[in-house]
Amino acid sequence: MKLSINKSRSLWWIISAAIILAGIISMVISWQNPNIRAPLRPSLDFVGGTRLQFERDCTKPGNCDKPIDINVVREVAKAQGLGDSSIQIVADKDTRAENGILIRTKTLLPEQRSKLQNALSEKIGTFDQQKNQFDTVGPTLGRELLTSGLIALIVSFAGIIIYLSFRFQLDYAVFAIVALFHDVLITAGIFSIFGLVLGTEVDSLFIVALLTITGFSVNDTVVIYDRIRETLQINPHRPIADIVDDAVNQTLGRSINTTLTTLLCLFAIFLFGGETLKNFALALIIGFTMGAYSSIFIASTLLTLWRERTVRSIAESIDTSVSSQDS
């Protein structure tokens, strides 16, 4: 069965545009949210401060009988001068019951942390000391990590443009970068939605994931572009839409197999790799899936549209020139 991607290219573009638009709307809402104030919910890696996670000790009789009231937690934080803190109720890792509290706030001294912990313990129950977590990151380091990550993304995009311009032509490079932006925007947009709905945070590993996604996506695109270029050299007068459709079909099995085998490893990391790697693996799962999609349905179809219009424009120019000479 032959896949004719150019016949339905408007559909592929609409699907991508809808997902990207949803992500952008989520980023705007997230930016306006006083608890986030950023397109994606940032972790301490980027903004600095202290993150505290407390979990109640359910081995003590009656300690976990009542659900945690987030309003009570906010009142305690406000009484401690931490009224602008971000507070979430989180599930216990073992029982999956909501017996934990996650607080992101300004940098606290050990004495302030202990005071807050004691005040919360009096109101909602005794905490399990072995499950409590404390992390502190300075704001200067957070800004440096964010700046370094953005610079790395920009440099990688510039390098890809230069490489593809030399290996192919400039229009190939431009549409490959459009596909990369597509993958990065969708991954970031979905994480923005997760940040609003599920409280998912992005950390320095998220930047690493975006860089990995760009490498994977452009690799898939180059394989298809290579086949298009080879066919154009053999049959330069053949319709570009047919050439692109053939190139996609000839490389489709490789693209699917490569993506699926990679996703199997990523799902294993997501399920069994622990909390630290879960969001990293999730970003790669989304990005690699979108990378395969954009290489097949976005970069290729955009190149087809551009080449068709270029040929049409040249033909019209020739017709106009001939007509003027005849007159």
Side-chain angles (χ1 to χ4, degrees), residues 16-29 189-190 192-193 196:
S16 293
I19 299 173
I20 290 172
L21 181 60
I24 291 174
I25 292 172
S26 174
M27 289 181 192
V28 173
I29 295 173
I190 291 176
S192 178
I193 295 171
L196 284 174

Side-chain angles (χ1 to χ4, degrees), residues 55-56 58 90-100 128 131:
E55 291 190 19
R56 293 191 297 189
C58 294
V90 295
D92 187 287
K93 295 177 182 178
D94 298 326
T95 64
R96 310 309 301 170
E98 293 187 336
N99 288 314
D128 187 340
K131 294 183 179 180

Side-chain angles (χ1 to χ4, degrees), residues 144-158 207 211:
E144 288 178 357
L145 283 171
L146 180 59
T147 303
S148 299
L150 292 176
I151 291 173
L153 275 175
I154 294 169
V155 170
S156 68
F157 276 29
I207 301 294
L211 289 167

